[in-house]
Amino acid sequence: MATVRYDEATRIFPKAERAAVDGLTLDIADGEFLVLVGPSGCGKSTSLRMLAGLEDVDSGSVWIGDRDVTDLPPKLRDVAMVFQNYALYPHMTVAENIGFALKLAHVPKAEIRNRVAEAAKMLDLEEYLGRKPRALSGGQRQRVAMGRAIVRQPHVFLLDEPLSNLDAKLRVQTRTQIASLQRRLGVTTVYVTHDQVEAMTMGDRVAVLDRGKLQQVDKPRVLFTHPANMFVAGFIGSPAMNLQEVPVTDGRAQFNGYEVPLPREAAGKVNGRVVLGFRPESLEVVNGTETGIEVTVQAVEELGADAYVYASLNDTELVKKPDIIARIDPAAVPDKGSRIKLKIRPDRVHLFAAGTGERLEAS
């Protein structure tokens, strides 16, 4: 096992207008499960490939343990990578696929058999060892790819969106298996995904990237409750956080006739306007004469235990995205096109600077 460190690591592809990875500085502890997450093109897979030695580092450095591996070829880095498409050899059996890297390394046959059997037992693949990949399901192929990485006993596991080819139900099941397996093995693991639900449920810590830059790295709960900026606030959470830029008067945010008092410390940092952030579950429907934000219900998602209202601040149809998303009582779902009033829980409000998008610390 080993620590991993990116030290101002930068990758710029030829003819690119900006760096794919821009000055990434990140420390990963020994045995930690760290998830790199972000939208397509944010640099997460490139960051992983820089660690694997599959992409050059144009400036800065990458360390595994106490070794600077920036210029080392992949085979000398002692990492094992699981790819999105699994990259199994179709003419080999499951056992041959799992043990192939050991065969190339001239490991004795008896030891290969023992390691393959141990990995197969761990991954519930014992009855499939004689089969070819074409006879396996997607989830079984993914486990074979994991087994091939496990038998190498590397210092670091690298996983590049390994669940993206699986159906939704199998993804939920397999992500639990991977997280449990990593805890059992205790191997430092860097996992790349675009799915923030995967990131939040699997990682010890989550690093959020956007346009090649690290936005925030912390425990999943901290990212949810204290996002560092508007990008993290809007990316983490499903459905996303509501974000509205509003004027501030006398220490109160003015939102469509609804006033939100600002903490004194935060009010002092606001220059006329502020971005108000509030999650769907921070809203509640109010009735009668009670003050609230009046919205028009444009769509409703009923999910059994939960229901979500997608609403606009006026009577027009939604074009690109709703003005407000609210979680509501599934037993009292409003009709599409109806007008309702929503109240924001003041203890659940997030505040961001209108100019920079950075979190106002008092929020």
Side-chain angles (χ1 to χ4, degrees):
M1 293 188 291
T3 58
V4 170
R5 177 159 58 94
Y6 293 88
D7 187 4
E8 293 291 328
T10 297
R11 175 61 174 142
I12 305 173
F13 291 111
K15 299 182 181 180
E17 295 181 359
R18 59 178 176 83
V21 178
D22 191 354
L24 176 62
T25 296
L26 180 62
D27 289 290
I28 304 168
D30 187 11
E32 181 176 15
F33 193 131
L34 182 114
V35 180
L36 295 174
V37 68
S40 297
C42 72
K44 55 188 184 295
S45 289
T46 302
S47 300
L48 195 75
R49 293 173 64 84
M50 290 163 72
L51 178 55
L54 303 177
E55 290 289 353
D56 293 333
V57 180
D58 294 305
S59 63
S61 58
V62 177
W63 295 71
I64 297 176
D66 57 0
R67 292 192 308 155
D68 183 347
V69 301
T70 308
D71 299 316
L72 283 183
K75 65 180 181 180
L76 298 180
R77 299 193 181 202
D78 198 14
V79 301
M81 190 162 179
V82 178
F83 294 91
Q84 181 176 347
N85 61 1
Y86 316 138
L88 302 179
Y89 296 105
H91 63 287
M92 294 184 183
T93 64
V94 167
E96 290 168 340
N97 265 287
I98 292 175
F100 185 65
L102 301 180
K103 182 179 178 181
L104 290 181
H106 304 294
V107 174
K109 290 183 179 179
E111 185 176 349
I112 292 177
R113 283 196 299 271
N114 289 337
R115 287 205 209 173
V116 169
E118 185 180 349
K121 184 177 181 180
M122 194 179 300
L123 295 165
D124 197 21
L125 289 170
E126 292 172 292
E127 63 181 287
Y128 306 108
L129 288 175
R131 296 190 187 182
K132 301 286 181 65
R134 64 176 176 270
L136 304 177
S137 68
Q140 289 162 347
R141 292 178 191 178
Q142 190 273 337
R143 280 184 278 156
V144 174
M146 287 291 297
R148 188 172 53 190
I150 289 168
V151 296
R152 292 180 54 191
Q153 299 176 348
H155 280 125
V156 183
F157 281 143
L158 307 177
L159 296 96
D160 189 7
E161 304 211 36
L163 308 184
S164 60
N165 291 332
L166 305 181
D167 62 56
K169 184 177 181 180
L170 192 54
R171 273 208 307 271
V172 173
Q173 175 186 334
T174 309
R175 77 188 185 209
T176 304
Q177 292 172 341
I178 291 176
S180 175
L181 181 63
Q182 192 276 338
R183 282 194 295 272
R184 196 185 328 166
L185 296 172
V187 178
T188 306
T189 300
V190 184
Y191 184 105
V192 161
T193 181
H194 66 277
D195 186 336
Q196 55 97 15
V197 175
E198 270 182 38
M200 296 289 281
T201 55
M202 296 178 73
D204 298 323
R205 287 191 304 155
V206 177
V208 183
L209 286 85
D210 182 42
R211 297 176 64 83
K213 288 185 176 291
L214 179 64
Q215 302 295 313
Q216 186 176 0
V217 56
D218 217 316
K219 294 179 180 179
R221 185 65 187 169
V222 175
L223 294 181
F224 187 82
T225 58
H226 288 79
N229 54 42
M230 285 173 56
F231 176 81
V232 177
F235 189 81
I236 297 295
S238 180
M241 180 185 290
N242 298 289
L243 296 167
Q244 292 282 341
E245 183 175 339
V246 296
V248 176
T249 305
D250 297 329
R252 293 174 176 269
Q254 309 294 324
F255 181 20
N256 216 44
Y258 181 75
E259 291 190 342
V260 181
L262 305 183
R264 183 179 302 174
E265 301 86 349
K269 301 177 183 179
V270 173
N271 186 21
R273 298 186 71 82
V274 70
V275 175
L276 207 61
F278 47 97
R279 296 200 178 276
E281 58 271 22
S282 302
L283 291 161
E284 56 185 270
V285 179
V286 295
N287 299 309
T289 58
E290 192 171 353
T291 304
I293 306 163
E294 288 198 34
V295 297
T296 301
V297 177
Q298 301 290 353
V300 178
E301 283 186 351
E302 296 189 60
L303 305 174
D306 284 320
Y308 291 93
V309 162
Y310 294 77
S312 61
L313 295 171
N314 50 48
D315 291 325
T316 60
E317 290 293 327
L318 297 179
V319 179
K320 291 184 179 180
K321 63 177 185 178
D323 293 317
I324 291 180
I325 304 173
R327 187 173 75 182
I328 62 170
D329 182 354
V333 176
D335 295 328
K336 181 179 177 180
S338 62
R339 293 283 284 178
I340 61 173
K341 284 195 292 186
L342 299 171
K343 180 179 179 180
I344 304 173
R345 290 182 55 178
D347 59 327
R348 298 283 188 87
V349 169
H350 302 260
L351 301 175
F352 303 93
T356 64
E358 294 299 308
R359 180 182 185 85
L360 298 177
E361 291 299 332
S363 61

